[in-house]
Amino acid sequence: MRTGKRWAAITALATTAASAGLLLGTSPASADTNCSSGYHCVFYQGLNDSARHSYFNSDTDFRNDTFNQLTGRVGGGQTVHNNVVSASNSSNSGYESHYYTGIGSDWGGFIFCINPGSEVNYINPTLRNRASSMQVRSTTSIDCY
């Protein structure tokens, strides 16, 4: 037996669940708010408060790159080499962003990676300001942010 009150309660519960993103079919959070679709981005400090540099492909040497986007924020114009504090991956093809200490053909030591559609605001302090290069890789078994 369906009463008006019971039907109203079910409708209210469904509306609340939908607005909270609890129903099936909701999509996962995307990193595109801080990084354009298809790009791998690095930030001088936080995702929302510092300058950014965007990469579409791998880059073996950050020494010649600067934080050339959102330059009115802290870090604008600074060199990317050894200055990465936050990162975002808006890859739309399933590519991970892998960051290393080495430059050139010697990728050097692996530091961290970012999964497609993910971001990390203020990387673990032991990993900050160490990235010298980035390799775009197909999905791996490595545990990434």
Side-chain angles (χ1 to χ4, degrees):
M1 179 175 182
R2 196 161 77 181
T3 66
K5 287 183 182 180
R6 183 179 293 166
W7 183 250
I10 290 170
T11 304
L13 181 60
T15 302
T16 302
S19 67
L22 299 175
L23 297 179
L24 295 176
T26 58
S27 59
S30 175
D32 66 351
T33 57
N34 296 306
C35 188
S36 296
S37 180
Y39 285 85
H40 308 262
C41 300
V42 293
F43 299 81
Y44 186 77
Q45 287 185 0
L47 295 170
N48 297 309
D49 60 3
S50 66
R52 171 183 69 210
H53 186 88
S54 300
Y55 296 95
F56 188 75
N57 293 312
S58 300
D59 191 315
T60 60
D61 189 350
F62 286 175
R63 293 179 298 181
N64 58 351
D65 300 334
T66 61
F67 289 98
N68 60 354
Q69 297 168 318
L70 307 172
T71 55
R73 297 178 178 181
V74 66
Q78 296 295 313
T79 303
V80 174
H81 178 71
N82 292 337
N83 282 317
V84 174
V85 172
S86 299
S88 183
N89 178 348
S90 288
S91 170
N92 49 18
S93 300
Y95 291 104
E96 298 172 353
S97 316
H98 288 247
Y99 294 88
Y100 300 89
T101 58
I103 56 172
S105 60
D106 172 24
W107 288 102
F110 171 79
I111 307 171
F112 65 92
C113 55
I114 310 289
N115 283 320
S118 295
E119 58 191 15
V120 59
N121 196 26
Y122 292 97
I123 298 162
N124 179 312
T126 62
L127 306 176
R128 291 180 194 166
N129 298 320
R130 296 181 56 208
S132 299
S133 57
M134 187 265 302
Q135 184 179 22
V136 175
R137 298 183 62 186
S138 295
T139 303
T140 66
S141 61
I142 298 171
D143 188 25
C144 298
Y145 284 105

